Amino acid sequence: MKGLILAAGRGSRLLPISATRAKHAVPVAGTPIIARAVQALRDAGVDDIGIVTSPSSETDLRDATANSGHLTFIRQSEALGTGHAVLAAHAFLEHQPTLLYLGDNLFQDNLTPLITTLRDADAVLGVKEVPNPQAYGVAVVKGGRLLRLVEKPRTPESNLAACGVFAFRPELLEHVAELPPSDRGEIEFPQALTRLMAAGGTVRAVELGGFWSDAGTPDDLLAANTHFLSQQRPRLDGRAERSVLTGNVVIEAGAVVEDSVITGPVWIGPHALVRGATLGPFVSVGAHARVDTARLHGALIDEFARVLHPSRPLSRVLIGRHALVTAPSESGLQVVMGDRSIVRV
């Protein structure tokens, strides 16, 4: 069994956070999305993993997975869709069954059931019950068998969303290779499942019951950050001085917390400095970031960011790398959004 993660897209819905790096490299509760994807495949028993990248995203993804063991990086020369990305990995897949993972997804469930279900099917997809199926590709399923996929229907036939993970036998690649471009000019991998069923193949659906996010928007990232912070185990490898720590708190090696009140779940990354702050719950502070005299709740602070003496509490905020959030200057408010940006509030 091969594992294949598609991570060539930049993520326009996450701009400006994704303007300077691939969205898959953005951390959630201290761990890059792409590293969580790799771990999900390893937890399912898949060790031979390829990652499809773009020329602009490969360096970010290599850095983000530096501690994830051996990986094969495959370059997709043009952004021509998920089907095109799978075909770019044809040589890597070596005519073996594949567990395919769209790299901006995050799952609580173990993915092993997709592999076991493939024993009695030609392909398998993961589905998840959602309250707003019209925003997704909708799977119509009967008795565990996929009948059809409908992309973002106005009137959904079911509330099951296709949620970005598939298992398939190598013969499916023949159908992928025959796909015409979609209306947006891309080769869409899910359409190969429709062709497979039309040819008499069996596609089964595995319903996932736990947390799932496609991490496509800032709100998605914050929700995922909240979920994975809740799953961590308390750990104190850094220093906490004259501070009160309550609940599920992780302070990584090299981090320093001084004169602060921390209410978990909170994650404070390596070599971060938190001073005179009130953090939590649901706050992650990236490596080498600095938080001074601030009150934060429900926040994702990326590496090297600085939150210095803001004049009001900050809630549900996403602050990119090297960004600065501080109090207004004498000239008044200043707002410059994005990585390496400044927000004065």
Side-chain angles (χ1 to χ4, degrees), residues 270-290:
H271 307 289
L273 173 61
V274 176
R275 178 181 293 143
T278 300
L279 303 186
F282 307 117
V283 173
S284 62
V285 179
H288 301 279
R290 181 180 170 188

Side-chain angles (χ1 to χ4, degrees), residues 21 33 144 167 195 227 233 271 319:
R21 61 174 162 177
I33 293 171
R195 294 181 69 97
H227 171 77
R233 294 182 179 180
H271 307 289
I319 300 174

Side-chain angles (χ1 to χ4, degrees), residues 80-84 151 176 179-193:
L80 296 178
T82 53
H84 183 268
E151 183 64 21
V176 179
L179 289 173
S182 66
D183 292 341
R184 57 182 184 177
E186 297 185 352
I187 307 299
E188 310 279 3
F189 174 82
Q191 293 180 1
L193 301 181

Side-chain angles (χ1 to χ4, degrees), residues 240-324:
E241 301 176 354
R242 302 177 304 282
S243 297
V244 177
L245 276 56
T246 305
N248 184 348
V249 176
V250 172
I251 301 178
E252 299 285 4
V256 177
V257 176
E258 298 177 344
D259 304 306
S260 296
V261 177
I262 313 296
T263 304
V266 167
W267 179 84
I268 299 173
H271 307 289
L273 173 61
V274 176
R275 178 181 293 143
T278 300
L279 303 186
F282 307 117
V283 173
S284 62
V285 179
H288 301 279
R290 181 180 170 188
V291 179
D292 199 332
T293 319
R295 288 174 288 170
L296 296 172
H297 163 262
L300 194 162
I301 313 301
D302 211 341
E303 59 186 20
F304 295 100
R306 291 171 295 157
V307 182
L308 308 178
H309 316 286
S311 60
R312 65 192 68 185
L314 300 177
S315 179
R316 297 199 58 76
V317 294
L318 176 59
I319 300 174
R321 294 180 300 176
H322 299 275
L324 170 65

